[in-house]
Amino acid sequence: MKIFSIMEIFVLLLVLLSAPVSDTWAKSRGNNEKLICDRKHEAAVGDNVTLDFHFKPECDVTRELVEWRFRSSALVLVYRSQGFSPNNQEKQFSGRASLDDSGDLSKGKLPVKILSVSKEDAGIYSCSIGKGEDKVSNSMELIISDADQQVNNKSQKLNVTSFGVGLVTSTFLYSLW
């Protein structure tokens, strides 16, 4: 029977306790949590948008690597080492992208806010948590239309609704007559 030295025990403990956080997180969560988001979000040029990503049920991701990406490669926002890394943002999003006020990483609420969107901001956005095999991610499409196109769509919906209400009212009054 081999007797271990204090140094060997210390090294073994050091190795065991220095396991990557995401491995520990992935094993502890048991794959019950799901990262949820809408499939698409529509906005007009110049709007401020919030792309809502969140875990159900809630879970703490404050010790995780969290990345929001645009078109799979451009970094919109990065959270690591319990803080945001503005130096890692793509120039397109620098000073315009941040965690929305409703965000709370301790509860798995990860909404990213993008100010004054343009046509160039249209596309697929993803949010991922963790690294390697333990990575959890989801994505949504941001659709950007011209501001005047947005107004035309709203007025067309209003006209159809007004016509429907008028038709129902006329039919009702005719039936009373």
Side-chain angles (χ1 to χ4, degrees):
M1 181 169 165
K2 183 176 180 188
I3 298 176
F4 294 101
S5 71
I6 293 178
M7 184 57 107
E8 289 173 321
I9 294 172
F10 176 75
V11 170
L12 179 62
L13 284 173
L14 186 62
V15 168
L16 291 174
L17 294 175
S18 65
V21 174
S22 60
D23 289 347
T24 307
W25 177 69
K27 289 173 186 162
S28 69
R29 66 187 169 88
N31 293 326
N32 292 330
E33 292 85 6
K34 295 195 183 319
L35 185 58
I36 309 292
C37 66
D38 292 330
R39 287 287 146 226
K40 62 176 132 173
H41 184 90
E42 296 182 29
V45 170
D47 284 354
N48 296 335
V49 299
T50 299
L51 305 177
D52 183 29
F53 295 91
H54 60 278
F55 273 99
K56 278 195 178 177
E58 293 178 357
C59 65
D60 186 355
V61 296
T62 54
R63 305 191 87 205
E64 293 302 314
L65 169 64
V66 182
E67 295 179 330
W68 293 263
R69 291 187 178 268
F70 175 59
R71 297 185 182 154
S72 300
S73 60
L75 284 168
V76 177
L77 191 60
V78 179
Y79 175 88
R80 69 171 61 122
S81 303
Q82 299 183 348
F84 286 93
S85 302
N87 296 337
N88 294 337
Q89 282 183 309
E90 202 66 35
K91 285 182 183 178
Q92 175 183 355
F93 299 103
S94 182
R96 294 188 325 132
S98 62
L99 187 68
D100 187 69
D101 293 338
S102 65
D104 185 347
L105 277 73
S106 68
K107 294 182 179 180
K109 295 180 181 180
L110 311 167
V112 64
K113 178 171 56 175
I114 304 171
L115 302 176
S116 190
V117 294
S118 67
K119 286 282 206 176
E120 291 76 31
D121 294 323
I124 304 295
Y125 287 79
S126 63
C127 178
S128 63
I129 294 87
K131 295 179 184 177
E133 293 178 17
D134 297 323
K135 185 186 248 183
V136 175
S137 64
N138 207 340
S139 59
M140 75 168 65
E141 180 180 15
L142 177 59
I143 301 167
I144 309 289
S145 60
D146 293 325
D148 53 346
Q149 181 182 356
Q150 199 80 339
V151 170
N152 287 340
N153 289 344
K154 286 180 183 174
S155 67
Q156 285 175 352
K157 288 178 186 173
L158 180 61
N159 288 340
V160 169
T161 304
S162 299
F163 174 75
V165 170
L167 182 62
V168 169
T169 305
S170 299
T171 305
F172 176 73
L173 291 174
Y174 180 75
S175 68
L176 290 177
W177 187 56

Coordinates of all heavy atoms in Angstrom, one line a residue, residues 11 18 35-36 42-43 50 53 64 72 75 78 91 96 105 113 115 129 156 174:
V11 N -1.2 18.6 -4.5 CA -1.3 18.7 -6.0 C -2.7 18.1 -6.5 O -3.3 18.7 -7.3 CB -0.1 18.1 -6.7 CG1 -0.3 18.0 -8.2 CG2 1.1 18.9 -6.4
S18 N -9.5 23.0 -9.3 CA -9.4 24.0 -10.4 C -10.1 23.6 -11.7 O -9.7 24.0 -12.7 CB -7.9 24.2 -10.7 OG -7.3 23.0 -11.2
L35 N -32.2 27.8 -22.6 CA -32.0 29.2 -23.0 C -33.1 29.5 -24.0 O -33.2 28.9 -25.0 CB -30.7 29.5 -23.6 CG -30.3 30.9 -23.9 CD1 -30.4 31.8 -22.7 CD2 -28.9 31.0 -24.6
I36 N -34.0 30.5 -23.6 CA -35.2 30.8 -24.3 C -35.1 32.2 -25.0 O -34.5 33.1 -24.5 CB -36.4 30.9 -23.4 CG1 -36.5 29.6 -22.5 CG2 -37.7 31.1 -24.2 CD1 -36.8 28.4 -23.3
E42 N -38.9 42.4 -34.7 CA -39.0 43.4 -35.8 C -38.8 44.8 -35.2 O -39.3 45.1 -34.1 CB -40.3 43.2 -36.5 CG -40.5 41.9 -37.2 CD -41.8 41.8 -38.0 OE1 -42.3 42.8 -38.4 OE2 -42.2 40.7 -38.2
A43 N -38.1 45.6 -36.0 CA -37.8 47.0 -35.5 C -37.7 47.9 -36.8 O -37.5 47.4 -37.9 CB -36.6 47.1 -34.7
T50 N -34.4 45.6 -27.7 CA -33.9 44.7 -26.7 C -34.2 43.3 -27.2 O -35.3 42.9 -27.4 CB -34.6 44.9 -25.4 OG1 -34.3 46.3 -24.9 CG2 -34.2 43.9 -24.3
F53 N -33.0 37.2 -24.2 CA -32.5 35.8 -24.0 C -32.7 35.6 -22.5 O -32.2 36.4 -21.7 CB -31.1 35.6 -24.4 CG -30.9 35.8 -25.9 CD1 -30.5 37.0 -26.4 CD2 -31.0 34.7 -26.7 CE1 -30.3 37.2 -27.8 CE2 -30.7 34.8 -28.1 CZ -30.4 36.1 -28.6
E64 N -19.9 32.5 -15.5 CA -19.8 31.9 -16.8 C -19.3 32.9 -17.8 O -19.4 34.1 -17.7 CB -21.1 31.3 -17.2 CG -21.6 30.2 -16.4 CD -20.6 29.0 -16.4 OE1 -20.1 28.6 -17.5 OE2 -20.4 28.5 -15.3
S72 N -23.0 34.9 -36.2 CA -22.1 33.9 -35.7 C -20.7 34.3 -35.4 O -19.9 33.5 -34.8 CB -22.0 32.7 -36.7 OG -23.3 32.1 -36.9
L75 N -18.7 39.9 -32.3 CA -19.1 40.0 -30.9 C -19.8 41.3 -30.6 O -19.4 42.4 -30.8 CB -17.8 40.0 -30.0 CG -17.2 38.6 -29.8 CD1 -15.8 38.7 -29.2 CD2 -18.1 37.7 -29.0
V78 N -19.7 40.9 -24.5 CA -19.0 39.7 -23.9 C -19.0 40.0 -22.4 O -18.7 41.0 -21.9 CB -17.6 39.6 -24.4 CG1 -16.9 38.4 -23.7 CG2 -17.5 39.4 -25.9
K91 N -16.6 46.9 -33.6 CA -16.8 48.3 -33.7 C -18.2 48.7 -34.0 O -18.7 49.8 -33.5 CB -15.9 48.9 -34.8 CG -14.4 49.0 -34.4 CD -13.6 49.6 -35.5 CE -12.1 49.5 -35.1 NZ -11.2 50.1 -36.2
R96 N -23.0 51.0 -28.4 CA -24.4 50.9 -28.7 C -25.1 49.6 -28.1 O -26.3 49.5 -28.0 CB -24.6 50.8 -30.2 CG -24.3 52.0 -31.0 CD -24.7 52.0 -32.4 NE -24.6 50.7 -33.0 CZ -25.5 50.1 -33.7 NH1 -26.7 50.6 -34.0 NH2 -25.3 48.9 -34.2
L105 N -27.9 38.6 -14.5 CA -27.2 37.3 -14.8 C -27.3 36.3 -13.6 O -27.3 35.1 -13.9 CB -25.7 37.6 -15.0 CG -25.4 38.0 -16.5 CD1 -25.9 39.4 -16.8 CD2 -23.9 37.8 -16.8
K113 N -29.4 45.1 -25.2 CA -30.0 46.3 -25.8 C -29.0 46.9 -26.8 O -27.9 47.0 -26.6 CB -30.2 47.3 -24.7 CG -30.9 48.6 -25.2 CD -31.3 49.5 -24.1 CE -30.2 49.8 -23.1 NZ -30.6 50.8 -22.1
L115 N -28.8 50.2 -29.3 CA -29.3 51.5 -29.6 C -29.3 51.9 -31.1 O -28.3 51.5 -31.8 CB -28.5 52.6 -28.8 CG -28.4 52.4 -27.3 CD1 -27.5 53.4 -26.7 CD2 -29.8 52.4 -26.7
I129 N -23.6 30.5 -23.6 CA -23.1 30.5 -22.2 C -22.3 29.2 -22.1 O -22.7 28.2 -22.5 CB -24.3 30.4 -21.2 CG1 -25.1 31.7 -21.2 CG2 -23.7 30.2 -19.8 CD1 -26.2 31.7 -22.2
Q156 N -52.1 50.5 -42.5 CA -52.9 49.5 -43.2 C -53.6 48.6 -42.2 O -54.8 48.3 -42.4 CB -51.9 48.7 -44.1 CG -51.5 49.4 -45.3 CD -50.4 48.6 -46.1 OE1 -50.0 47.5 -45.6 NE2 -50.1 49.0 -47.3
Y174 N -78.4 47.4 -38.8 CA -79.3 46.9 -39.8 C -80.2 45.8 -39.2 O -81.4 45.8 -39.4 CB -78.6 46.4 -41.0 CG -79.5 45.9 -42.1 CD1 -80.2 46.8 -42.9 CD2 -79.7 44.6 -42.3 CE1 -81.1 46.4 -43.9 CE2 -80.5 44.1 -43.3 CZ -81.2 45.0 -44.1 OH -82.1 44.6 -45.0

